[in-house]
Amino acid sequence: MTTKTIKIQELANWSEPKRVRTKHGPKDLLKATPGDAFWEAWKSAKQQLKDAGISLSKNEDGWEALWWRPISEQEQHELKQAREASRATDADIEIPSPEGLDYLPFQRAGIAYALTHQNTLIGDEMGLGKTIQGIGVWNSDPTIKRVLIVCPASLRLNWRNEFKKWATRPVRIEVIIGGKPDARPLDGWQVLIVNYDVLAKHKKWLEKFDFDLLIADECHYCKSPTAARTKALLGFTPRAGQKTKPEAPIRAKRKLFLSGTPILNRPVEVWPLIQAVDPSGLGRSFFKFALRYCGAKQNLYGWDFSGASNLDELQNLMRERFMVRRLKKDVLTELPPKQRQVIELPANGASKLVEKEKQTFASHREYIEALERRLAEAEQFEAAGLAHDDDIEFLRRELRGARQTAFSEMSKARKAVALAKVPKVVEHLLNALEQGPVVCFAHHIDVMDQIKVGIESEYRVATITGSTPLAVRQEVVEKFQGGRLDLIIGNIQAAGVGLTLTRSSHVVFAELDWVPANLSQAEDRCHRISQTESVLVQHLVLEDSLDAEMSRKLIAKQEVIDQALDRNTDVDYGMLDTDEITFKVKEDRVAKQAASMTREQIEAVHHGLRWLAGMCDGARTRDDMGFNGCDTRFGKALASQDGLTARQAAIGLSMLHKYHRQLPEGLLDKAKKGETK
């Protein structure tokens, strides 16, 4: 039996091909009215024609033949290459970078992709450096003269700081803060940063400029096509029946959109972005897009576009045309176990509180340092058997009083600043939670409560403080790990030890603890043995505040500690065998002390050890800070544990006695008595 060869193109007068997306990939659709030659072939070789992509459809004019023709192998190869480029984790390209800084391989790939597209969406997961890739595009193209960066208000200063850090040529950067005309800078700038909330108020002024590059960070802020921010940035074209006036988009030769969550809840939310980034392709027709990808259906009230359909196809099409997206799991080997960032928030509205905090700190530090110098001099004279004008006991009492006063006044000032910062922290957390679960740490209960109030209407939140019973803490942890909570807000001391919160790889500090070891302990609630992702740690501080200065120093100290301990995801310092120690103690004394240790006393000893570990650089320099060379490993290992046994606490108390001169006033007494508050 022979198979007759059928020349399909000769069976009918076919229309011009039209590219159509199907569940089996792109195909060319040709249509024709079937004639005698077609019907004869259909009767004799129906299955053969079906296998070749021929089908029939009946309309009001009669039968219509449809030919679903596969695209060419060359086109299939090109689409495959486009999808691979969208997932690329490296690129053979030289990109200028400042001395001492370099792009990670997958960041080079993202920059390379953006340089070959007029409009690009970088949809990498949070923590993969989308900001750096945006600046890398600017570094790579010296023809880019004017840049407009649109971002959430909480990220304006971070963009400014990162641009200064990564720029490879001189650049003047201006930040618009506020919606009034006097917030606009004089000419002479190359990079302008503005937040979404005030963009519409500056739109007419911005229309004077032709930008070479537009960067829209967290572009999912523009999910509603009728919102003022969306219309100001992306423009607005009314659909049939809408009476709203059209609005032009921001003009730019190249556009770069950044978001870790381009589609937040449903495909219809990405439509404004698609229309802006691919207007002649996927963004050509809203109704066709909605029918294909939004599960569009009619009900009693009209069309419902809130559904979802053909999502794999939508992702492939976005990758083929304009999107580069990598997940943490794709590039995990290139990421450090922890990435620490300082996010400076604008201090507007809290400037006076910030200045008062700095003045309070400076005045007390100056007085305390003067007393310490006088006391050190008096003690030197006493050791040499010489008289001194100052009475040593008086100086010691005066120094203790000065430290207590400074601590009290600084606590009030720092709490006031922290409370003023809460609205900005809430804004940052709401954005972060759109991309996954988060663990937030703070110090003051009032700050934690206000953050919770700002979040709980949209997300599931729980708090852990020192007064939270152990059983309730465990219940909160289980809910979070099981996906029944989105955010945990924990007190740094209470929630910073003993908990496993590895469902999240994102830690946010709303307040600082000035002991690096305490910060590391808190971070490690997410950075534990079962964590499979790099942990992003963000410190939210107000611009020019004391915390802004201290946070960078604390992070630097943390990195020194990490190096000294060789901390990594494969090491669990909680498993240290405390029988193998070099710190010499009398066993009978340890046993007796351990037998009488209370839980409060164990926690107090642990706090003292973490204080010493935070000051210790592994005895690399002779500065009388931290443990000596013999005690470093054991002391830091104890400090790094989630909790101490009674025997470990007894040994730890002996260590506190040995290093008591380095401890803050009264800390040893508290450890003896078990007072932690």
Side-chain angles (χ1 to χ4, degrees):
M1 180 178 180
T2 59
T3 302
K4 183 180 179 181
T5 300
I6 301 175
K7 295 182 179 180
I8 298 175
Q9 64 270 24
E10 297 178 0
L11 293 180
N13 185 21
W14 298 101
S15 66
E16 288 296 317
K18 180 181 179 181
R19 183 61 50 86
V20 178
R21 301 292 304 191
T22 75
K23 63 181 180 180
H24 301 296
K27 292 190 176 182
D28 287 333
L29 175 61
L30 295 81
K31 298 181 179 180
T33 300
D36 293 341
F38 179 89
W39 288 120
E40 183 180 345
W42 185 257
K43 290 177 182 178
S44 62
K46 180 189 294 186
Q47 189 58 50
Q48 190 177 346
L49 289 174
K50 283 185 175 181
D51 292 343
I54 302 295
S55 63
L56 287 170
S57 174
K58 194 169 187 180
N59 54 38
E60 57 185 19
D61 297 325
W63 288 101
E64 185 176 47
L66 308 176
W67 183 8
W68 299 92
R69 191 172 68 186
I71 63 174
S72 68
E73 291 186 4
Q74 176 63 27
E75 288 179 292
Q76 292 183 41
H77 177 69
E78 290 173 355
L79 291 176
K80 182 181 178 182
Q81 283 187 317
R83 290 192 295 271
E84 290 175 351
S86 174
R87 293 184 170 89
T89 56
D90 201 354
D92 186 13
I93 182 175
E94 290 293 329
I95 302 171
S97 62
E99 186 176 353
L101 297 175
D102 201 3
Y103 309 96
L104 293 171
F106 71 88
Q107 292 171 342
R108 286 199 302 270
I111 296 167
Y113 186 100
L115 290 173
T116 58
H117 292 70
Q118 183 180 5
N119 299 327
T120 304
L121 166 62
I122 297 183
D124 290 343
E125 273 193 309
M126 187 177 226
L128 297 190
K130 294 185 289 293
T131 300
I132 293 171
Q133 293 176 67
I135 301 169
V137 171
W138 182 84
N139 282 338
S140 301
D141 188 351
T143 66
I144 298 176
K145 304 299 182 184
R146 283 196 185 272
V147 180
L148 177 65
I149 299 172
V150 185
C151 63
S154 62
L155 297 179
R156 289 174 302 190
L157 301 184
N158 186 62
W159 263 102
R160 181 197 64 187
N161 296 341
E162 288 296 295
F163 219 109
K164 288 180 179 179
K165 177 180 177 181
W166 282 87
T168 54
R169 58 184 186 269
V171 60
R172 178 180 161 189
I173 306 168
E174 294 287 351
V175 180
I176 293 180
I177 297 181
K180 296 181 179 180
D182 59 8
R184 302 166 189 165
L186 299 175
D187 205 3
W189 49 269
Q190 290 85 41
V191 176
L192 185 64
I193 303 172
V194 62
N195 57 293
Y196 287 103
D197 300 331
V198 300
L199 180 62
K201 296 179 180 179
H202 297 287
K203 178 68 178 291
K204 287 186 178 180
W205 177 73
L206 290 170
E207 287 176 342
K208 297 178 182 179
F209 307 102
D210 289 312
F211 293 98
D212 298 303
L213 175 63
L214 166 67
I215 300 177
D217 191 16
E218 307 295 358
C219 58
H220 55 266
Y221 271 46
C222 296
K223 63 183 179 181
S224 171
T226 58
R229 67 178 67 167
T230 307
K231 292 193 289 185
L233 178 67
L234 305 179
F236 180 71
T237 303
R239 298 202 295 269
Q242 289 184 319
K243 297 181 180 180
T244 309
K245 293 182 179 179
E247 188 167 343
I250 296 288
R251 295 193 307 274
K253 295 177 183 177
R254 172 177 278 141
K255 296 180 181 180
L256 191 57
F257 299 93
L258 314 178
S259 174
T261 51
I263 303 176
L264 293 175
N265 300 301
R266 50 188 69 92
V268 72
E269 294 176 344
V270 80
W271 169 252
L273 176 62
I274 286 178
Q275 192 177 32
V277 76
D278 191 24
S280 61
L282 189 57
R284 193 164 38 199
S285 167
F286 170 77
F287 197 67
K288 289 182 179 179
F289 176 87
L291 286 174
R292 186 68 184 166
Y293 304 113
C294 302
K297 55 186 178 182
Q298 278 187 301
N299 54 34
L300 295 175
Y301 306 99
W303 282 97
D304 178 8
F305 302 120
S306 62
S309 52
N310 303 307
L311 295 185
D312 288 343
E313 179 186 310
L314 175 59
Q315 181 185 166
N316 281 334
L317 189 56
M318 291 170 68
R319 287 186 178 278
E320 290 167 5
R321 299 187 67 84
F322 55 79
M323 183 176 75
V324 55
R325 175 168 170 80
R326 285 73 54 92
L327 308 180
K328 282 185 178 179
K329 64 181 182 180
D330 299 331
V331 295
L332 195 59
T333 57
E334 301 172 24
L335 295 174
K338 292 181 186 177
Q339 301 177 84
R340 297 182 176 110
Q341 297 178 348
V342 177
I343 306 294
E344 282 196 47
L345 307 170
N348 49 309
S351 299
K352 292 183 179 179
L353 291 174
V354 167
E355 187 58 32
K356 181 180 179 181
E357 179 195 42
K358 291 170 68 176
Q359 290 176 354
T360 301
F361 178 77
S363 62
H364 284 294
R365 181 174 61 180
E366 183 178 351
Y367 182 55
I368 289 172
E369 287 177 350
L371 284 175
E372 288 174 339
R373 287 193 297 270
R374 289 171 60 189
L375 178 58
E377 183 181 274
E379 288 176 338
Q380 286 179 341
F381 272 73
E382 182 184 52
L386 301 173
H388 192 270
D389 293 339
D390 289 320
D391 179 78
I392 290 179
E393 287 305 316
F394 170 78
L395 287 174
R396 287 173 177 165
R397 288 194 302 271
E398 191 73 8
L399 186 56
R400 282 196 297 270
R403 285 172 173 165
Q404 290 171 357
T405 301
F407 179 82
S408 177
E409 293 188 12
M410 279 304 302
S411 295
K412 293 178 182 178
R414 295 190 70 202
K415 183 177 180 180
V417 170
L419 287 170
K421 187 171 57 174
V422 165
K424 296 178 176 66
V425 172
V426 169
E427 178 188 351
H428 185 89
L429 287 173
L430 286 173
N431 182 51
L433 285 163
E434 290 177 344
Q435 303 174 62
V438 179
V439 176
C440 176
F441 288 103
H443 178 69
H444 295 95
I445 303 301
D446 291 353
V447 173
M448 296 172 59
D449 289 342
Q450 289 193 22
I451 293 174
K452 183 174 185 290
V453 169
I455 300 290
E456 61 186 355
S457 62
E458 298 188 41
Y459 292 95
R460 300 165 297 177
V461 189
T463 59
I464 296 177
T465 69
S467 61
T468 305
L470 292 178
V472 176
R473 294 188 196 191
Q474 186 58 34
E475 181 183 353
V476 168
V477 170
E478 290 175 359
K479 284 184 176 180
F480 184 78
Q481 292 290 90
R484 290 174 287 158
L485 284 175
D486 305 303
L487 173 67
I488 285 183
I489 307 170
N491 173 267
I492 294 174
Q493 283 73 34
V497 294
L499 306 181
T500 296
L501 305 172
T502 49
R503 178 168 161 259
S504 173
S505 60
H506 190 182
V507 178
V508 172
F509 283 96
E511 295 183 86
L512 286 184
D513 188 298
W514 285 4
V515 180
N518 291 347
L519 298 177
S520 295
Q521 283 285 336
E523 295 169 356
D524 285 348
R525 299 315 94 213
C526 296
H527 179 248
R528 300 179 68 73
I529 295 298
S530 57
Q531 180 59 264
T532 59
E533 297 186 359
S534 173
V535 175
L536 176 64
V537 180
Q538 295 179 317
H539 295 271
L540 306 187
V541 299
L542 291 181
E543 183 184 18
D544 293 330
S545 67
L546 193 57
D547 279 354
E549 177 185 350
M550 292 299 298
S551 58
R552 292 179 175 84
K553 294 180 179 178
L554 287 166
I555 287 175
K557 275 189 169 289
Q558 283 181 282
E559 291 173 354
V560 169
I561 293 171
D562 289 350
Q563 291 174 3
L565 286 174
D566 294 326
R567 294 169 68 92
N568 57 62
T569 53
D570 297 322
V571 177
D572 185 357
Y573 289 95
M575 300 300 291
L576 179 77
D577 183 357
T578 54
D579 290 324
E580 298 178 5
I581 60 175
T582 58
F583 186 74
K584 296 180 180 180
V585 293
K586 293 183 178 180
E587 184 57 40
D588 57 343
R589 182 177 177 181
V590 168
K592 183 178 179 181
Q593 182 74 58
S596 63
M597 278 279 182
T598 64
R599 184 173 65 85
E600 291 79 10
Q601 193 172 5
I602 292 172
E603 290 180 355
V605 171
H606 201 185
H607 177 69
L609 290 170
R610 292 203 303 269
W611 178 281
L612 287 170
M615 299 300 108
C616 180
D617 67 356
R620 294 183 177 183
T621 58
R622 187 173 179 81
D623 55 5
D624 294 324
M625 298 297 288
F627 305 108
N628 64 29
C630 294
D631 298 338
T632 293
R633 182 176 180 274
F634 180 67
K636 286 192 172 185
L638 282 179
S640 298
Q641 293 190 114
D642 291 339
L644 300 180
T645 65
R647 182 176 184 278
Q648 290 169 343
I651 298 171
L653 184 57
S654 297
M655 297 190 81
L656 296 189
H657 277 285
K658 178 177 179 179
Y659 295 99
H660 71 277
R661 292 185 181 276
Q662 298 184 37
L663 298 173
E665 193 73 31
L667 185 56
L668 179 59
D669 290 337
K670 291 180 180 180
K672 291 177 181 177
K673 298 174 183 177
E675 298 173 0
T676 59
K677 297 182 181 179

